[in-house]
């Protein structure tokens, strides 16, 4: 009986949790995992900026042949730690070191897009702002008190948070206070390529399955037509 009451109480709170997570509108991520050029740019950004702390333990380097890279290009552009082309994309950071530096071990990013969503990741990468009250000096508009520092700030620049009142409610805005190496449009494109690649990481076979599914549907439609013609011929002889 107590378990039932607890479940009913939790269900009654569920809408609160749902609405609390959607207070800030997420930006639409321009995802196209069939764009090999975007995936190649995203892969290079991933190994340069993400792989130091975050692993992708479900992905091997040689799988990048599927997005148009040769083994030599993979070795030259993506492998920075002396690993082999057939190795898994592990991070070089030890878990104990990560917990000491950040308070929590950075998550593996192999399937992060499937759990968080592409729009969340795209908004997250563009929503860091300066916060001197945090241990890292950074915070994020959609992930309050985030442990991760803004490793891309040199590219994006530094943003500050402004809170103003509008129609009786608080409205949070981010303003660029210190420009980065990239313009806003260039950084948005950079983030889009990176998120596109992270989405690809979660399901590298997706494009192949879509193509295979199209062929299967065409085959089944053809078989349906042949079966119908066979049925007509058979019943004509019966009658």
């Amino acid at each position: 009986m107590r378990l039932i009451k607890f479940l009913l109480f939790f269900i009654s709170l569920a809408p609160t949790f749902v609405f609390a997570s959607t207070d800030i509108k997420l930006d639409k991520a321009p995802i196209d995992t069939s764009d090999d050029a975007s995936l190649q740019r995203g892969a290079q950004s991933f190994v340069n900026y993400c792989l130091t702390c975050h692993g992708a333990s479900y992905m091997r380097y040689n799988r990048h042949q599927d997005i148009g890279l040769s083994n030599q290009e993979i070795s030259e552009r993506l492998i920075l730690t002396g690993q082999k082309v057939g190795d898994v994309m592990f991070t070089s950071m030890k878990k104990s070191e990560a917990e000491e530096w950040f308070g929590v071990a950075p998550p593996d990013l192999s399937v992060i897009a499937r759990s968080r969503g592409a729009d969340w990741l795209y908004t997250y990468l563009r929503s860091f702002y300066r916060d001197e009250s945090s241990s890292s000096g950074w915070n994020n508009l959609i992930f309050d008190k985030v442990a991760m520092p803004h490793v891309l700030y040199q590219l994006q620049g530094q943003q500050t948070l402004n809170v103003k009142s509008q129609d009786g409610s608080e409205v949070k805005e981010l303003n660029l206070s210190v420009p980065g190496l990239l313009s806003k449009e260039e950084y948005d494109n950079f983030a889009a390529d990176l998120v596109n690649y992270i989405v690809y990481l979660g399901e590298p076979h997706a494009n192949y399955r879509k193509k295979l599914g199209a062929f299967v549907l065409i085959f089944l439609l053809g078989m349906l037509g042949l079966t119908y013609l066979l049925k007509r011929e058979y019943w004509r002889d019966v009658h």
Side-chain angles (χ1 to χ4, degrees):
M1 190 66 181
R2 288 183 179 179
L3 179 60
I4 294 175
K5 289 182 178 180
F6 174 78
L7 289 174
L8 290 173
F9 175 73
F10 182 80
I11 292 172
S12 68
L13 292 180
T16 303
F17 296 145
V18 172
F19 289 124
S21 65
T22 56
D23 286 343
I24 299 175
K25 183 179 179 181
L26 300 179
D27 297 325
K28 182 66 176 177
I31 300 301
D32 180 8
T33 54
S34 64
D35 186 349
D36 287 350
S38 171
L39 293 177
Q40 290 176 17
R41 292 191 298 268
Q44 195 152 8
S45 299
F46 184 86
V47 299
N48 286 334
Y49 294 99
C50 304
L51 197 57
T52 303
C53 301
H54 300 275
S57 58
Y58 298 161
M59 184 72 169
R60 294 186 183 275
Y61 286 102
N62 57 10
R63 288 303 310 274
H64 293 89
Q65 294 174 357
D66 297 342
I67 61 173
L69 294 177
S70 65
N71 282 341
Q72 183 176 353
E73 289 174 324
I74 293 171
S75 297
E76 293 174 353
R77 295 167 57 180
L78 302 183
I79 300 180
L80 309 178
T81 56
Q83 292 178 282
K84 298 179 181 179
V85 173
D87 288 345
V88 174
M89 297 177 69
F90 284 125
T91 176
S92 57
M93 180 181 291
K94 296 180 180 179
K95 183 178 179 180
S96 58
E97 294 175 341
E99 291 175 344
E100 179 181 353
W101 296 336
F102 304 116
V104 61
D108 187 279
L109 298 183
S110 298
V111 293
I112 192 68
R114 300 178 68 177
S115 61
R116 286 289 191 178
D119 293 347
W120 190 94
L121 290 172
Y122 182 60
T123 307
Y124 171 78
L125 289 177
R126 297 156 56 249
S127 298
F128 278 91
Y129 63 91
R130 272 295 182 186
D131 184 358
E132 299 303 331
S133 65
S134 69
S135 58
S136 67
W138 295 97
N139 207 335
N140 194 283
L141 193 61
I142 66 170
F143 194 151
D144 190 38
K145 296 179 177 59
V146 63
M148 172 181 163
H150 188 19
V151 296
L152 303 174
Y153 81 93
Q154 290 182 322
L155 301 179
Q156 184 187 24
Q158 300 182 34
Q159 298 185 121
T160 54
L161 177 66
N162 290 331
V163 181
K164 60 182 182 181
S165 179
Q166 182 176 333
D167 298 329
S169 60
E170 288 188 346
V171 177
K172 297 180 179 179
E173 293 181 346
L174 295 178
N175 296 321
L176 187 65
S177 56
V178 180
L181 298 175
L182 303 180
S183 67
K184 182 181 183 304
E185 182 179 359
E186 289 172 335
Y187 182 77
D188 287 350
N189 291 335
F190 174 91
D193 288 336
L194 180 54
V195 173
N196 197 31
Y197 175 72
I198 295 176
V199 171
Y200 168 79
L201 273 182
E203 231 177 334
H205 292 94
N207 291 332
Y208 172 75
R209 287 203 301 271
K210 290 176 183 177
K211 292 178 181 178
L212 182 61
F215 285 123
V216 170
L217 288 175
I218 292 171
F219 172 78
L220 291 176
L221 287 173
M223 288 298 297
L224 178 63
L226 291 175
T227 304
Y228 176 72
L229 293 176
L230 180 61
K231 175 254 184 189
R232 287 185 59 186
E233 185 67 23
Y234 177 80
W235 283 105
R236 185 174 62 182
D237 293 339
V238 171
H239 293 303

